[in-house]
Amino acid sequence: HIKNTFETDACVLRILKEDQLELFGSVGIKEENLMQLFPANEGFGKKVIDAKKALAFKHASKVSFHKLLQMKYPHLYPFVSYAGAPLIYENRVIGIIGIYSKKKEREFAGVELELFQMVADQLANSFENARLYEQNEKQKEILVKQIVSRKAAEAELQKSFQTTNMLYEISRELSLSLEMKSLGNKMLTSIENL
């Protein structure tokens, strides 16, 4: 929908993982024209990350660093105009979204860039909420496993306690029985001595 809203040919969403922009999704670009990981310190992505705001390049195909990247990665999607916006959460760039015009040069006006940045901000919030939800689910899973483990340990301790009590009662009974036998033997010996 973003591609259509901004009347472009393609859209790519990448998540920042250390010093790489990892492909999260794309529309309008064949898989063979994308890199799963793209260096965050190269190309338009670097410019957008450093600026921490949406940027547009009407003549992207004529920018010197882009020409170098085209030579370095010749299989990448060819485009003439580009706009990119950082996904920012709590003043931290967590990703980038880029829209591409392949067929004709495209001017991205100020209001359009502001709207594009608002879309990126919403995406950043959605990603962070999803990450937090996933983190909470993992913690919940760990806690449930710990509870199950503790309940099993408690049941084992209860069983052990019952076994210990039973053994104590048996040894007490045996002890009393042995004392009675010993007492009986003493009484027989005393009676014989009479």
Side-chain angles (χ1 to χ4, degrees):
H1 298 308
I2 294 171
K3 175 178 93 74
N4 296 337
T5 300
F6 291 96
E7 299 174 356
T8 57
D9 300 311
C11 179
V12 175
L13 181 61
R14 292 182 176 276
I15 301 303
L16 187 61
K17 298 233 173 139
E18 295 177 19
D19 61 344
Q20 300 285 316
L21 288 164
E22 182 178 3
L23 180 65
F24 186 81
S26 68
V27 174
I29 300 178
K30 292 178 184 174
E31 199 171 316
E32 62 263 16
N33 295 122
L34 289 166
M35 291 173 57
Q36 186 63 33
L37 294 173
F38 194 86
N41 62 351
E42 290 187 17
F44 294 111
K46 176 183 176 10
K47 297 286 184 191
V48 171
I49 289 169
D50 290 348
K52 283 193 170 184
K53 68 177 185 176
L55 297 176
F57 298 87
K58 179 180 179 182
H59 307 289
S61 60
K62 297 175 184 171
V63 175
S64 61
F65 66 79
H66 181 64
K67 286 180 180 180
L68 291 172
L69 285 176
Q70 285 178 317
M71 287 189 302
K72 186 175 179 181
Y73 309 111
H75 70 284
L76 291 183
Y77 181 73
F79 57 92
V80 293
S81 296
Y82 169 85
L87 279 63
I88 299 173
Y89 185 80
E90 293 183 352
N91 205 32
R92 180 175 50 91
V93 177
I94 62 169
I96 187 170
I97 184 168
I99 50 179
Y100 305 82
S101 180
K102 180 179 183 175
K103 300 170 186 162
K104 62 179 180 173
E105 287 187 346
R106 173 86 159 71
E107 181 80 47
F108 295 96
V111 172
E112 206 170 22
L113 278 180
E114 288 176 27
L115 176 62
F116 190 43
Q117 185 60 60
M118 288 170 54
V119 169
D121 292 342
Q122 288 299 313
L123 284 170
N125 285 328
S126 295
F127 271 102
E128 195 59 22
N129 286 341
R131 187 191 67 77
L132 291 171
Y133 177 79
E134 187 176 304
Q135 183 180 2
N136 284 340
E137 286 300 306
K138 285 179 182 177
Q139 287 176 343
K140 178 181 164 185
E141 192 177 303
I142 290 168
L143 288 173
V144 166
K145 286 179 182 177
Q146 287 176 344
I147 289 169
V148 167
S149 177
R150 283 185 182 153
K151 285 187 177 187
E154 286 174 6
E156 194 61 38
L157 281 172
Q158 183 64 30
K159 187 177 173 183
S160 176
F161 179 71
Q162 289 171 344
T163 303
T164 302
N165 274 347
M166 184 177 70
L167 289 173
Y168 172 74
E169 288 299 320
I170 290 171
S171 69
R172 199 171 132 262
E173 292 286 328
L174 276 173
S175 179
L176 284 174
S177 175
L178 289 174
E179 285 178 17
M180 291 294 273
K181 186 176 179 182
S182 176
L183 183 60
N185 285 340
K186 284 181 185 177
M187 287 173 68
L188 285 175
T189 304
S190 296
I191 292 174
E192 284 179 6
N193 289 337
L194 285 174

